[in-house]
Amino acid sequence: MISWNSRVRFLFLLLAVAPLALHAQDTTQQRGVRIGLTYQAGTRPGVYVVPVRGDFGDSVRAMLQRDFDFSDRVEVVGRDGSGVADTVFAASAGKINYTIWKSLGAAAIVQATVTASGLHVALHDVAAGSVMSVQDFPIAQLRGSGEWRFAVHGVADEVLRWISGTRGIAQSRVVYARGSALHVADSDGGNDRTIASGGRMMSPAWHPSGRYVAYSTLGDRGWQIVVRDLQSGTSRALGATPRGLNMTPAWSPDGNSIVYAHGEENGTDLYVADAFGSGAPRRVTVGRGTDNVSPTFRGDGQRLAFTSGRAGHPEIYTVDLDGSNAELLTPYNFGDESYRSNPDWSPDGRLIAYQSRIGGRFQVLALSVRDRSVRQLTNEGENEDPSWAPDNRHLVFASSRSGARELWVLDVETGRARQLTHGGARLPAWSRVLDHAP
């Protein structure tokens, strides 16, 4: 096996004896964007991000590398800590030798420059030996601010679309509960901030636009549904919800309605209310004294999945929004161990993630709506409250695997997991991809 040092010496030799392979590529002209590199099926294309020129260039480069890495769709060349890739780039005087980068495993090279108005980005297709795409991204926010970071996430998402054909999810956020407060963090865990505090708060849920968060909180009238406007910083109670227990809100895909669980002393049922009006809520389920909670919408807004105890223990059911065609979804098992709850429907409607008690601890599972097949996704520690990312591939959930309850992100295709929070967290919800920072 050839050592890295020998490989680097070979590459430097290639630089010295093959000057004709070096090009000064034009990365200043606007060009049409060709979507998707050509690379071997079943592999992740290697992507090298060259050092970024301009103020905050190091921060921009680190964010692009991290966002590409967290997408789990590409392999970031040069993040192994060896410094080989950066050494090779420095030795080439800033020019791109496609032969060398191909031998280093790079299928694409990203060049970014911080400009007075934002970022100038060029993408090189190594196999084609040419610049694939060029674009100027305007970023008006103060450099280094949370809004600026969020805009850079959007650049990473678009460049990932050029590379893989699928837009990234870096420009999204996670809301969660910590102690007596609700927090929002970027998808990489950065820019964490408190959005509401001062009481018991549970079950936050995102409006499709990302402007509003609905949650349940304990007040003078019992547990109420509250809608928080993240732009104005104001909060209001949901419509004409009655006194008693009101919990686990879920926004409809069009953002006009909220379904939630309501009950008093004898069970809870699901109700749907106008999210911005004052009309009386309409009952969806008839649980006859059982608890029916934790609704989640199918992508078309016409059907719900939810937790119900009508079988004698919690299971996952589905029902049409008008209350018809209720159906048991999870496979029924007898015994105290059977406990399935807290479903979340994937944005594309194919999968429902939920928590199930296995061996005395909760684990996260995913059920295929088409054939009812079930796959266990976690087994380390206790894992609860899964929420899908907008790419239908990643989940955020609360886990005790680190010794404390924190949020973790899982790539359901590879099983790769990363810790998102530090300091305690529960009840996460992942936003859709956003194009602004509310």
Side-chain angles (χ1 to χ4, degrees), residues 177 182 201-205 214-216 247-249 426-427:
L182 292 183
M201 300 177 183
M202 298 179 64
S203 306
Y215 58 94
S216 56
M247 58 189 299
T248 61
R426 56 193 176 88
L427 302 169

Side-chain angles (χ1 to χ4, degrees), residues 100-435:
I100 289 181
W101 287 109
K102 185 175 181 179
S103 67
L104 279 175
I109 297 174
V110 177
Q111 280 186 303
T113 302
V114 180
T115 67
S117 59
L119 284 179
H120 176 80
V121 180
L123 178 68
H124 298 256
D125 184 337
V126 172
S130 63
V131 175
M132 172 180 172
S133 305
V134 178
Q135 186 168 328
D136 286 296
F137 295 88
I139 301 178
Q141 293 85 353
L142 179 66
R143 290 176 187 171
S145 67
E147 293 79 9
W148 177 84
R149 290 186 79 261
F150 198 69
V152 175
H153 285 317
V155 175
D157 285 348
E158 178 62 13
V159 175
L160 187 65
R161 186 175 73 90
W162 298 353
I163 297 169
S164 69
T166 301
R167 192 178 193 274
I169 58 168
Q171 201 173 36
S172 61
R173 286 184 164 153
V174 174
V175 62
Y176 66 93
R178 172 184 290 167
S180 60
L182 292 183
H183 287 243
V184 166
D186 290 353
S187 64
D188 63 353
N191 195 27
D192 192 304
R193 60 191 174 96
T194 301
I195 61 167
S197 61
R200 296 181 63 184
M201 300 177 183
M202 298 179 64
S203 306
W206 284 100
H207 185 271
S209 70
R211 175 172 176 173
Y212 306 97
V213 170
Y215 58 94
S216 56
T217 184
L218 183 60
D220 296 338
R221 300 180 71 246
W223 283 94
Q224 292 295 299
I225 305 298
V226 170
V227 175
R228 178 79 171 179
D229 186 332
L230 300 185
Q231 287 189 8
S232 67
T234 58
S235 300
R236 62 173 178 82
L238 175 66
T241 52
R243 290 179 178 271
L245 182 63
N246 299 282
M247 58 189 299
T248 61
W251 293 90
S252 61
D254 64 9
N256 294 327
S257 303
I258 292 178
V259 174
Y260 62 98
H262 166 71
E264 295 180 6
E265 295 181 357
N266 189 23
T268 57
D269 273 301
L270 301 183
Y271 287 76
V272 59
D274 185 340
F276 300 101
S278 57
R282 175 179 61 81
R283 189 172 183 172
V284 177
T285 63
V286 181
R288 297 181 175 85
T290 62
D291 283 320
N292 300 270
V293 297
S294 302
T296 175
F297 274 92
R298 190 172 66 188
D300 61 4
Q302 299 304 305
R303 195 159 176 82
L304 299 165
F306 64 101
T307 305
S308 177
R310 62 187 66 186
H313 53 259
E315 295 285 354
I316 309 301
Y317 287 75
T318 57
V319 67
D320 289 345
L321 190 56
D322 63 5
S324 63
N325 299 316
E327 182 180 8
L328 175 65
L329 189 67
T330 45
Y332 183 86
N333 293 323
F334 290 99
D336 295 336
E337 183 74 7
S338 186
Y339 193 114
R340 289 75 173 253
S341 64
N342 298 42
D344 192 52
W345 215 318
S346 64
D348 64 7
R350 296 187 305 110
L351 299 172
I352 293 177
Y354 60 95
Q355 64 186 44
S356 177
R357 190 161 54 200
I358 299 173
R361 299 187 300 182
F362 281 111
Q363 301 296 342
V364 174
L365 283 73
L367 181 146
S368 168
V369 177
R370 180 179 61 83
D371 61 12
R372 304 296 177 90
S373 61
V374 175
R375 183 158 61 106
Q376 184 174 335
L377 301 177
T378 65
N379 53 41
E380 183 181 355
E382 191 151 9
N383 303 276
E384 302 173 318
D385 302 310
S387 175
W388 286 102
D391 63 356
N392 304 288
R393 173 171 177 156
H394 291 85
L395 283 168
V396 63
F397 54 95
S399 177
S400 65
R401 63 184 62 197
S402 65
R405 193 169 300 278
E406 300 288 355
L407 300 189
W408 287 72
V409 174
L410 176 73
D411 174 14
V412 301
E413 294 191 15
T414 66
R416 180 192 184 197
R418 61 179 171 91
Q419 188 171 343
L420 185 70
T421 63
H422 299 80
R426 56 193 176 88
L427 302 169
W430 206 317
S431 78
R432 294 184 180 180
V433 170
L434 309 172
D435 59 5

